[in-house]
Amino acid sequence: MNRFCLALDLKDDPTLIAEYETHHKNVWPEIQKSIRDAGIQKMEIYRTGNRLFMIMETSDSFSFEQKAQADAANPTVQEWNA
């Protein structure tokens, strides 16, 4: 098992951040499946101000490159990301 910690800065706009949080309260089942299928076993996201911290526990076979390729080929993931 591997653990990855990532950070991302959101635009410092309270309205956009609220929209982002609302959108992520009901993650589509297809998105959850794409995450699991990629080998991500556990994911936690925390926010402080406009900075997000994501902690992922993954299988040994997980690859960011393979996940990106799978997401690019998945229309539902593309719709979710839009």
Side-chain angles (χ1 to χ4, degrees):
M1 179 180 301
N2 295 304
R3 179 177 284 175
F4 298 97
C5 299
L6 305 159
L8 170 76
D9 288 334
L10 300 171
K11 288 185 180 180
D12 198 8
D13 180 322
T15 301
L16 293 176
I17 291 172
E19 289 176 11
Y20 175 90
E21 289 182 336
T22 298
H23 185 62
H24 283 80
K25 286 183 180 177
N26 296 303
V27 179
W28 301 344
E30 299 89 349
I31 302 307
Q32 293 175 354
K33 182 179 183 317
S34 75
I35 290 168
R36 285 190 306 274
D37 288 351
I40 300 170
Q41 299 168 342
K42 184 176 180 183
M43 179 187 292
E44 298 176 27
I45 301 175
Y46 301 93
R47 181 177 68 82
T48 179
N50 68 319
R51 177 159 286 183
L52 296 178
F53 293 96
M54 178 168 44
I55 303 169
M56 298 186 325
E57 293 181 0
T58 71
S59 65
D60 291 335
S61 63
F62 173 78
S63 159
F64 283 102
E65 293 81 12
Q66 289 175 353
K67 175 68 170 135
Q69 289 175 356
D71 288 351
N74 185 325
T76 304
V77 171
Q78 294 302 308
E79 181 183 352
W80 171 264
N81 288 338

